[in-house]
Amino acid sequence: MARTITTKPATVSSKVADPYQQPCFSVFTQQHSVYGAGWHTYNHNLEYCSNFLGDGSYAYNRFRTYTTAAPEFFQNYASSQYYETQSTPSSNSEACQNTCNVGYLGHQNFHSVGEYSKTAGYVIANSGRQWRGNAFRDCASIVNETSQDYAIFTQHNSTTGTWLTIGQRSANRYYCDTQQYGRNRFNIPSQTSNGQGMYASACYNVKTKKFVVIEQETSNYRFQPVVWNNVPDFRAIGTNSSDYYHDEAESYSAKSDNQGGSVYDYFQNSANRDLYDRMTGNGMNQYTGAAEAHWRTMPCLCDNGRLVTFSQTPSNGCLVQRWNADGTYEGVLWNGTWTTSYGYEQGNRFGSRWQVSTSGKYWWAYCPSYYYGSGLYWIAVRVSDGKVMYFQTNDSTHGRMTCPIGLNSMVITYDTNADGPGIYHREIELDYFFNIGADMYNIPLDNNYNAWTLDTAGNSTDYPLIIPAYYNTSLFNTQLESNL
């Protein structure tokens, strides 16, 4: 019997998950002895997702935030600035609204809401936030990545070079594996004359398969970028529990300090890298003597070979530098100045931070402009070409917190009194501003904050903060056409 053969394409019938329905951030407030603490979570449409509320000293309900009968963390630390939102960072360096408390790894003091979370987060103990500060200090940049489910960390290893860790996007995991036990890392040897490794001073460009590591010349504290070409797939390693030995036979000989495997071998071969020019002049020491500026910088390696770096310069402000596509040093683009600020030399929880858009096409770096953690120095870079925009506010009272939203936008919040209007926030469409503005355009981030749309848990004077969520960034980029 003859068969009928059809050429009609198969139809995919699976349901598409709307990426905008995923959690974007949580809003947290706490008055431990009266109104308790609580989180409200909002999605990428700025619509309400979930909540988790406590009851202060009034009763023994879902969880108690006031002394006796509270969970361990709240019982021990409920009245501390680590969690309270009854004042601003203006007079206390421990305030949880500190501008540098948020970054690619979420918030130092709180667990992030995840893709499958049913509640809105929870606190981390005082010592825990100190340990997590190691991860925030060491977290290196990733750009052009649509699946942001892993992290890269680099750490100063003296004249020996740079410790490299590729692993989960988790501050807790990084501290436990690397800082607590000294495992899941290996050394990238120094490649420059008198060069030493630095903290977080690296950037992986997924599209170009390049990885830049900044080294420091110790005599003048001058940066020199080392660009590694055709690097291994870092995500494949990071999502596989830092399996640096995946390509070794099962009978391989014992290793020490993660010496072995294709990733380790790759970084032992200097033929795989190019050297950019060293920073000219008197180096970072002319701006500040602080370790934050000498041993950390936030780099963004662009598709066209340009390199932009953002450095917090305590007692000065911030410094933005750029290298041309051919590796020549273009110079300083911006020296933002105002007053004293704190870097990691005052504790690992302080210093500059970075985040990236969901698409991976825009990268921004920032730090407080006032030493207790308020105000903001901020830049954004378009990864395709290295175009830069910037913002500065000399605010000695209120913190600013940011996180990615949607595909190519950023939310910024302002921790002024939320009693009544809720949290003040604004969405910055980066596509729009990079289209209308020239290179080094001054974005007015502080203009036209929204109120009365995002509620908070408190009902009295409160200065709320946000906790960036962990969501599935790939959903914004991998929806099947036949499902739409």
Side-chain angles (χ1 to χ4, degrees):
M1 177 167 41
R3 293 181 298 169
T4 300
I5 300 176
T6 179
T7 58
K8 182 180 178 180
T11 301
V12 180
S13 60
S14 60
K15 185 178 180 180
V16 169
D18 181 355
Y20 285 84
Q21 295 296 328
Q22 296 183 102
C24 183
F25 59 86
S26 301
V27 177
F28 173 78
T29 56
Q30 186 197 178
Q31 296 187 21
H32 77 287
S33 63
V34 183
Y35 300 109
W39 294 259
H40 290 325
T41 305
Y42 296 91
N43 65 23
H44 289 261
N45 288 322
L46 296 177
E47 300 291 348
Y48 194 60
C49 289
S50 63
N51 70 77
F52 193 32
L53 303 176
D55 55 18
S57 62
Y58 287 126
Y60 299 87
N61 200 353
R62 294 175 66 181
F63 73 87
R64 182 179 170 90
T65 60
Y66 182 71
T67 61
T68 305
E72 296 291 350
F73 295 171
F74 272 125
Q75 180 168 321
N76 292 331
Y77 300 110
S79 61
S80 75
Q81 280 284 291
Y82 313 140
Y83 308 129
E84 276 196 346
T85 60
Q86 292 178 258
S87 61
T88 65
S90 59
S91 60
N92 195 308
S93 62
E94 309 295 350
C96 52
Q97 310 96 319
N98 188 322
T99 295
C100 64
N101 273 344
V102 296
Y104 179 72
L105 299 176
H107 193 293
Q108 293 183 113
N109 299 23
F110 302 89
H111 292 286
S112 290
V113 176
E115 181 184 356
Y116 303 108
S117 296
K118 301 301 181 184
T119 57
Y122 201 70
V123 301
I124 291 166
N126 175 33
S127 296
R129 76 188 182 100
Q130 307 277 15
W131 310 150
R132 286 164 59 87
N134 288 269
F136 281 73
R137 179 198 63 190
D138 298 349
C139 187
S141 298
I142 302 172
V143 296
N144 278 329
E145 178 60 84
T146 57
S147 297
Q148 297 166 18
D149 51 2
Y150 66 104
I152 299 168
F153 305 89
T154 67
Q155 187 179 0
H156 168 66
N157 194 19
S158 189
T159 57
T160 304
T162 303
W163 284 119
L164 173 65
T165 298
I166 309 168
Q168 297 291 316
R169 187 178 176 180
S170 168
N172 286 359
R173 286 288 298 273
Y174 174 73
Y175 175 76
C176 291
D177 288 352
T178 307
Q179 305 300 294
Q180 187 83 341
Y181 301 113
R183 66 191 185 200
N184 288 342
R185 65 181 184 180
F186 62 83
N187 181 67
I188 301 176
S190 296
Q191 302 293 311
T192 62
S193 176
N194 297 318
Q196 296 192 27
M198 299 171 64
Y199 298 100
S201 304
C203 178
Y204 174 41
N205 187 318
V206 177
K207 181 179 180 180
T208 63
K209 298 181 181 179
K210 293 179 181 288
F211 182 56
V212 64
V213 177
I214 310 293
E215 294 184 2
Q216 183 64 273
E217 178 200 34
T218 55
S219 57
N220 290 307
Y221 299 103
R222 294 185 296 180
F223 299 154
Q224 184 164 10
V226 180
V227 178
W228 296 86
N229 305 300
N230 296 313
V231 295
D233 185 344
F234 285 175
R235 180 173 180 263
I237 299 166
T239 56
N240 194 28
S241 301
S242 300
D243 182 12
Y244 303 127
Y245 310 114
H246 66 278
D247 54 356
E248 293 277 349
E250 290 186 355
S251 59
Y252 69 84
S253 301
K255 312 290 183 182
S256 61
D257 290 333
N258 288 306
Q259 294 179 3
S262 61
V263 181
Y264 173 84
D265 293 340
Y266 170 87
F267 285 107
Q268 311 312 307
N269 186 355
S270 61
N272 292 325
R273 54 80 170 159
D274 295 316
L275 298 181
Y276 277 25
D277 287 349
R278 181 167 280 168
M279 176 186 176
T280 59
N282 294 322
M284 300 303 291
N285 205 41
Q286 64 186 304
Y287 301 99
T288 177
E292 172 71 28
H294 290 180
W295 298 106
R296 290 186 80 236
T297 190
M298 304 290 101
C300 177
L301 182 59
C302 301
D303 299 350
N304 62 354
R306 268 180 159 178
L307 174 67
V308 180
T309 62
F310 175 92
S311 306
Q312 181 179 6
T313 54
S315 299
N316 174 73
C318 75
L319 193 73
V320 177
Q321 303 175 77
R322 189 162 61 192
W323 279 257
N324 297 312
D326 61 0
T328 57
Y329 179 63
E330 181 178 342
V332 173
L333 298 183
W334 179 38
N335 178 19
T337 61
W338 182 36
T339 188
T340 303
S341 56
Y342 285 169
Y344 84 86
E345 67 280 345
Q346 302 293 333
N348 289 336
R349 64 188 183 279
F350 299 110
S352 57
R353 302 286 183 252
W354 67 274
Q355 292 173 330
V356 66
S357 64
T358 303
S359 67
K361 295 179 180 179
Y362 294 97
W363 172 94
W364 57 93
Y366 51 92
C367 66
S369 56
Y370 186 69
Y371 61 114
Y372 283 129
S374 58
L376 181 68
Y377 296 110
W378 175 94
I379 68 163
V381 177
R382 187 165 61 189
V383 177
S384 62
D385 62 357
K387 187 177 184 179
V388 178
M389 297 190 175
Y390 76 101
F391 173 77
Q392 175 179 346
T393 175
N394 299 341
D395 185 343
S396 61
T397 303
H398 300 286
R400 305 294 193 280
M401 289 189 168
T402 68
C403 75
I405 185 171
L407 191 62
N408 286 313
S409 297
M410 179 192 83
V411 163
I412 181 170
T413 62
Y414 170 50
D415 80 324
T416 193
N417 186 9
D419 187 16
I423 190 168
Y424 287 76
H425 65 281
R426 185 184 180 195
E427 183 176 353
I428 304 298
E429 295 183 9
L430 294 168
D431 278 337
Y432 169 78
F433 282 106
F434 273 87
N435 284 333
I436 68 166
D439 190 33
M440 292 307 297
Y441 175 72
N442 188 354
I443 294 184
L445 293 188
D446 260 359
N447 290 6
N448 302 315
Y449 280 106
N450 295 309
W452 300 99
T453 56
L454 301 185
D455 200 6
T456 63
N459 63 351
S460 183
T461 301
D462 244 318
Y463 304 95
L465 59 97
I466 62 170
I467 307 165
Y470 286 174
Y471 55 93
N472 188 346
T473 58
S474 69
L475 290 181
F476 284 86
N477 302 279
T478 60
Q479 299 293 302
L480 297 176
E481 184 176 333
S482 56
N483 281 356
L484 300 180

